[in-house]
Amino acid sequence: MYDELLSTTNMDLPTIALRLVLAAVLAGLIGLEREWRGKPAGLRTYTLVGLGAAGFFLLTMEFMLGPMNEREDLALDPTRIFEGVITGIGFLGAGAIIQGQRDVKGLTTGAGIWVAGAVGLACGGGYFLLAGFIAVLALVVLFFLGLIEHHYIDPS
């Protein structure tokens, strides 16, 4: 009875932990920048999005490598995880966007949440270099382009 609760995974625990922790840290760094700027979604939101995306990727891998894959009555398509995660993250990002009478706010936050999901998916798949590049480029865009935008384009 309890064996099902404590079933083993196809990947070893250190690999799973590394992927989840790295997803949380990299996405959290993007969220930290947003938090520092006082945006509505920050450290916790971005960390959870990256962690969730990595978790869903790992679950998909477990389904593909485990006994579920051996069932002939199921057609498992691992690419559908991306569709579901991207749709869910899009929903979160849309919730961060506020439309006023003359302007729209939160587009960068929504896009950042979307990027945090990409970081999480990359970490979940073990693509750490790709995840790192995505996170670094996101931070460059948010921080440095934000400074340029604030000082030169919209100095008000």
Side-chain angles (χ1 to χ4, degrees), residues 38-116:
K39 300 303 179 182
L43 179 62
R44 293 183 302 162
T45 302
Y46 281 75
T47 301
L48 288 171
V49 166
L51 181 61
F56 284 119
F57 193 106
L58 288 168
L59 283 169
T60 300
M61 290 178 66
E62 289 298 324
F63 285 148
M64 294 303 298
L65 297 172
M68 296 286 281
N69 192 35
E70 296 169 6
R71 291 183 50 182
E72 293 180 19
D73 60 330
L74 291 177
L76 297 176
D77 180 4
T79 61
R80 294 188 66 193
I81 186 63
F82 296 107
E83 295 171 12
V85 169
I86 292 167
T87 300
I89 293 168
F91 179 77
L92 289 173
I97 299 170
I98 301 168
Q99 182 174 353
Q101 289 183 353
R102 296 177 189 233
D103 61 347
V104 176
K105 294 185 185 254
L107 286 173
T108 303
T109 298
I113 290 171
W114 190 55
V115 170

